[in-house]
Amino acid sequence: ASSCTSCLDGKVSAAGSTSEDDCAYAPCSAGKYMTENGCQQCGENTFSGDGASSCTSCPDGKVSAAGSTSEDDCGYAPCSAGKYMTENGCQQCGENTFSG
C-alpha cells in the first residue's frame, strides 16, 4: 500500500492493523455505554463504570443525574413537606411533628 487509511469517525485501531475490521470504538468511559454508533451517556437514574455495554439502574427509590459513574451516585430524592429522610428513603412525619 502507498498510504494508510484512517478508521471511521470515533473508531480506533492498534498500530500495524491490516483491515477496516481492526477498527473498533474505544471502550466507553464511566457514565457512558457502548451502542452501534459509539458511546452514549447513561440516562437519569442509571450509572455505568468504564467499558460498559449498558447502564445499570439505581436501586429502587433512588435517583441519579445522567452520566452517573457508580451506584454511589444514586441517592434518594429530597423529601416533600410532611416527610423526613431515613436510610430507607422518605418517611411520613409522626403525630405532633412536621417538616417543611
Side-chain angles (χ1 to χ4, degrees), residues 38-81:
C39 296
Q40 299 290 322
Q41 180 172 278
C42 290
E44 290 182 349
N45 309 327
T46 66
F47 62 92
S48 73
D50 287 330
S53 59
S54 65
C55 300
T56 302
S57 294
C58 288
D60 284 347
K62 291 189 176 184
V63 298
S64 70
S68 292
T69 59
S70 78
E71 188 173 336
D72 291 342
D73 293 335
C74 299
Y76 290 108
C79 298
S80 58

Side-chain angles (χ1 to χ4, degrees), residues 8-93:
L8 296 176
D9 286 344
K11 291 188 176 185
V12 297
S13 67
S17 294
T18 59
S19 153
E20 186 176 346
D21 291 341
D22 294 332
C23 298
Y25 288 110
C28 300
S29 59
K32 297 182 179 184
Y33 68 102
M34 182 60 67
T35 70
E36 290 180 5
N37 300 314
C39 296
Q40 299 290 322
Q41 180 172 278
C42 290
E44 290 182 349
N45 309 327
T46 66
F47 62 92
S48 73
D50 287 330
S53 59
S54 65
C55 300
T56 302
S57 294
C58 288
D60 284 347
K62 291 189 176 184
V63 298
S64 70
S68 292
T69 59
S70 78
E71 188 173 336
D72 291 342
D73 293 335
C74 299
Y76 290 108
C79 298
S80 58
K83 296 184 177 185
Y84 69 100
M85 181 60 66
T86 71
E87 287 183 5
N88 299 316
C90 296
Q91 299 293 320
Q92 185 171 349
C93 290

